């Protein structure tokens, strides 16, 4: 079992920035950490993922160039830096984790992730 806890959500104006944090109870080299989001009446979509062993990352097309997922070496925390936020970025953001190979990490499919946090709300509005 891996427990993950998100923090850092809030309200911001369009064009603003937020940084989300996801603290995991354990992280191994085979751990994949990812962020998903779900807006009202929308399906949950993958936003970004980070594979610990290779430090490989993957992003949804909608956030490329604006969002950055990262982890400081030795920490059990993964960050999602969100810049140039748009109203369509408004959603509940969930941290998720899985253990295994890197291929399923970059695929950003919710069904491939086993451990989930409770979510943190991000609202982008003027």
């Amino acid at each position: 079992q891996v427990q993950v806890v998100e923090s850092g959500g809030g309200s911001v104006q369009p064009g603003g920035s937020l940084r989300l944090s996801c603290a995991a109870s354990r992280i191994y080299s085979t751990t994949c950490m990812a962020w998903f989001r779900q807006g009202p009446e929308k399906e949950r979509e993958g936003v970004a993922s980070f594979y610990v062993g290779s430090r490989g990352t993957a992003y949804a097309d909608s956030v490329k160039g604006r969002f950055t997922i990262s982890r400081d070496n030795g920490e059990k925390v993964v960050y999602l830096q969100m810049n140039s936020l748009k109203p369509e970025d408004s959603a509940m953001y969930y941290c998720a984790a899985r253990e295994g190979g890197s291929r399923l990490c970059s695929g950003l499919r919710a069904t491939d992730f086993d451990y989930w946090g409770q979510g943190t709300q991000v609202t982008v509005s003027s």
Side-chain angles (χ1 to χ4, degrees):
Q1 286 281 346
V2 178
Q3 284 80 46
V4 293
V5 179
E6 308 95 336
S7 61
S11 296
V12 65
Q13 293 186 340
S17 298
L18 282 174
R19 189 176 80 157
L20 306 183
S21 299
C22 174
S25 59
R26 68 179 193 218
I27 284 184
Y28 299 128
S29 62
T30 54
T31 299
C32 171
M33 303 290 293
W35 288 95
F36 291 79
R37 66 186 181 187
Q38 188 167 16
E41 301 181 358
K42 293 184 179 180
E43 293 187 359
R44 190 168 296 191
E45 64 168 338
V47 174
S49 66
F50 182 97
Y51 192 70
V52 174
S54 65
R55 301 185 66 82
T57 59
Y59 296 92
D61 288 342
S62 59
V63 306
K64 282 180 181 177
R66 300 188 298 122
F67 290 12
T68 302
I69 189 170
S70 65
R71 169 185 173 252
D72 291 338
N73 285 339
E75 288 193 3
K76 293 184 288 186
V77 180
V78 171
Y79 304 96
L80 184 68
Q81 178 67 43
M82 305 186 295
N83 298 328
S84 302
L85 283 161
K86 305 175 182 179
E88 51 262 44
D89 294 317
S90 297
M92 185 70 79
Y93 281 70
Y94 297 91
C95 181
R98 71 178 309 279
E99 294 177 337
S102 62
R103 181 176 62 85
L104 293 181
C105 183
S106 60
L108 284 172
R109 293 190 311 178
T111 52
D112 291 331
F113 287 77
D114 303 303
Y115 310 106
W116 292 84
Q118 295 299 308
T120 185
Q121 180 68 40
V122 171
T123 302
V124 185
S125 174
S126 56

